[in-house]
């Protein structure tokens, strides 16, 4: 089938901790992969993307690597801040002008 | 930079009422779409458009209508509101068609149907 699965939240971490949010997908071929972030009370915005296998997307200290062997696109950050508290969505491109979305993972960073 | 503008931000309706959620973008994007966001379900595509005069259904189109008479505007109409349509609605646009890349989202419209 066509799906994107990401770890359930909420994920609660202390400031400066290491973050990993897992994301796996099913697809035929090699779709583009995305991480979007939604801060409280706002719309979603693109955080990073990767368009082909082994690509690494990065932005604002976040990174994710397109792993075709494990069909994964895990989001990582070495040292999180309180301002990173948000909901993070993994998504993959689809040929019908759509994005297939994960359910979202709420991240809570405590000072 | 206006980007994607949605109105209204909040709306309360009674069952059976109709209303239109407005969406406008000033980036000359060809692709526009409407999503609804419900707790634990992520985003679900309602309708989308790949250009003026062209619209198509997404995953959950029932109860909603759209039109695209201009590149800039993509209104979403609820013909007879139902409590199941209580949700947060997001409009999003993108540069081109084909495999989607970066989507630009509005700030959302929170709709409550009593």
């Amino acid at each position: 089938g066509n799906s994107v699965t990401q770890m359930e939240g909420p994920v609660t971490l202390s400031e400066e901790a290491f973050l990993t949010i897992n994301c796996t997908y099913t697809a035929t071929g090699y779709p583009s992969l995305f991480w979007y972030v939604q801060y409280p009370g706002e719309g979603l915005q693109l955080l990073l993307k990767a368009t082909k296998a082994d690509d690494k997307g990065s932005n604002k200290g976040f990174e994710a690597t397109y792993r075709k062997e494990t069909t994964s696109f895990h989001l990582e950050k070495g040292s999180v801040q309180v301002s990173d508290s948000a909901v993070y969505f993994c998504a993959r491109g689809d040929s019908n002008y759509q994005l297939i979305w994960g359910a979202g993972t709420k991240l809570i960073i405590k000072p | 930079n206006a980007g994607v503008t949605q109105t209204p931000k909040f709306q309360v309706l009674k069952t059976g009422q109709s209303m239109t959620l407005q969406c406008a973008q000033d980036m000359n994007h060809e692709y526009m779409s409407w999503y609804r966001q419900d707790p634990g379900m992520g985003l679900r595509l309602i309708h989308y458009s790949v250009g003026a005069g062209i619209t198509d259904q997404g995953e959950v189109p029932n109860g909603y209508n759209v039109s695209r008479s201009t590149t800039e505007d993509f209104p979403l109409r609820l013909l007879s509101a139902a409590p199941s349509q209580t949700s947060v609605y997001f409009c999003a646009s993108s540069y081109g068609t084909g495999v989607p890349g970066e989507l630009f989202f509005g700030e959302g419209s929170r709709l409550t149907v009593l």
Side-chain angles (χ1 to χ4, degrees):
Chain A
N2 295 321
S3 67
V4 174
T5 303
Q6 55 183 112
M7 61 192 294
E8 287 190 28
V11 173
T12 303
L13 296 172
S14 297
E15 206 166 19
E16 299 184 1
F18 184 87
L19 168 71
T20 300
I21 300 178
N22 291 337
C23 172
T24 58
Y25 65 92
T26 58
T28 55
Y30 303 107
S32 296
L33 301 174
F34 306 86
W35 277 101
Y36 281 80
V37 59
Q38 184 180 27
Y39 298 105
E42 299 183 10
L44 284 75
Q45 55 185 277
L46 180 68
L47 179 60
L48 53 84
K49 66 181 180 182
T51 58
K52 60 183 188 293
D54 300 324
D55 265 3
K56 177 184 285 189
S58 62
N59 187 24
K60 299 182 180 180
F62 291 89
E63 291 184 342
T65 301
Y66 192 139
R67 303 284 189 198
K68 65 178 181 180
E69 305 85 3
T70 54
T71 60
S72 65
F73 193 53
H74 304 322
L75 183 68
E76 296 181 335
K77 186 174 185 182
S79 176
V80 292
Q81 306 300 313
V82 172
S83 58
D84 294 326
S85 297
V87 181
Y88 292 82
F89 292 90
C90 185
R92 73 157 182 82
D94 184 74
S95 59
N96 293 325
Y97 313 114
Q98 296 183 28
L99 285 173
I100 307 298
W101 296 87
T105 302
K106 184 173 184 178
L107 175 64
I108 300 169
I109 306 300
K110 296 188 174 181
Chain B
N1 293 335
V4 178
T5 303
Q6 289 183 233
T7 57
K9 286 186 168 46
F10 302 94
Q11 183 71 49
V12 179
L13 291 177
K14 295 181 179 178
T15 297
Q17 287 184 318
S18 63
M19 76 156 300
T20 299
L21 298 177
Q22 301 291 345
C23 176
Q25 52 90 10
D26 61 358
M27 297 173 282
N28 202 31
H29 286 172
E30 291 295 326
Y31 179 86
M32 295 186 73
S33 55
W34 277 102
Y35 288 90
R36 60 177 289 172
Q37 184 180 30
D38 301 294
M41 300 187 73
L43 289 118
R44 293 184 290 171
L45 182 67
I46 304 171
H47 285 285
Y48 65 96
S49 168
V50 298
I54 306 169
T55 63
D56 208 343
Q57 297 181 352
E59 180 185 357
V60 288
N62 292 340
Y64 308 94
N65 277 357
V66 291
S67 60
R68 185 92 180 273
S69 57
T70 66
T71 299
E72 295 78 19
D73 300 300
F74 191 47
L76 178 71
R77 298 182 186 85
L78 283 71
L79 302 178
S80 179
S84 61
Q85 294 178 304
T86 294
S87 187
V88 180
Y89 292 85
F90 287 99
C91 180
S93 68
S94 178
Y95 288 111
T97 58
V99 176
E102 179 175 2
L103 287 176
F104 294 80
F105 282 82
E107 293 186 347
S109 299
R110 184 176 294 275
L111 175 65
T112 301
V113 182
L114 303 176

